[in-house]
Amino acid sequence: MLKFNFARIARYPAPLRLVIFILVLLLVWLPVAAPIHWWVDDKNLVSILTLPLLYGIFTILLRLWGKSIYRQPHVLQAYGLVNTRQNRRELLIGLGLGVASVLSLFVLEGWLGWLWWRQPSIFLWRFVVEGLIVALAYGFAEELLFRGWLLDELQRDYHPRTALWTNACIFAALHFMKPLAEIIRTLLQFPALVLLGLTLVWAKRCSKGRLGLPIGLHAGLIWGYYAINVGQMVQYSDRVPEWLTGIDRNPLAGGMGMLFLGAIALGMRRFSHRSR
């Protein structure tokens, strides 16, 4: 009976499969995470304790999901998480492209007089190394979630274009969960997040389903911004509106950032079509 139920789940429509997976994940995670939230007052410590736990359970559940629902004993490899030289090479290419894009954006804005470069902090190298670790962790976790599991579930039921746009919109919506006043104030960030989601799907498709390139690109964008922002390397001149340079100094929430991201998106889209 249990095996029969698993087989039935595989035939459910994608939205229902997603809900089932998330409910199981929460049912396993919440009984452990909830006491931590109750007993620990430091919010940062709560995040440090609960988020890795959530991701660990998520990864284990992915393996069980693949074996039980789809009869795939190596589902992570099916998602594109493969340990090959090509995948590692693409990760480094993506990392370099992401960092170079962020640096080029800030260099251009400095040349235009929209910002000034400041003396780097004496702790700059610490921020660079720390930023790389944080960026790779976020890039790995989010790409396995969105361009791995979620995209795979969508592609099982829908046309590739429908899966592409649905994946990008879900990615943007989950990163845009905030109070209504903040949503209105930072509204420009939403289409940028959709564009980023599209870019990362195209990055996976142009590397024939491997996750190295989207992980690297995602991490590179985070790393470049982290080092410059946390290292306090720039100061804006306020010569142009904030919507152009980025609301709250976030390049992704600005016109120039979308322009640079759009160029990357066009390149990834073109290569993804060639690789079909």
Side-chain angles (χ1 to χ4, degrees), residues 255-271:
M256 287 295 290
M258 287 189 66
L259 183 64
F260 271 69
L261 184 57
I264 299 174
L266 286 175
M268 293 296 172
R269 182 174 182 271
R270 181 174 299 176
F271 281 115

Side-chain angles (χ1 to χ4, degrees), residues 3 31-32 66 99 107 153 184 196 199 233 237-238 246:
K3 291 183 178 180
V32 182
V99 172
V107 168
E153 293 293 337
I184 296 173
L196 177 59
T199 303
M233 295 176 61
S237 63
D238 296 326

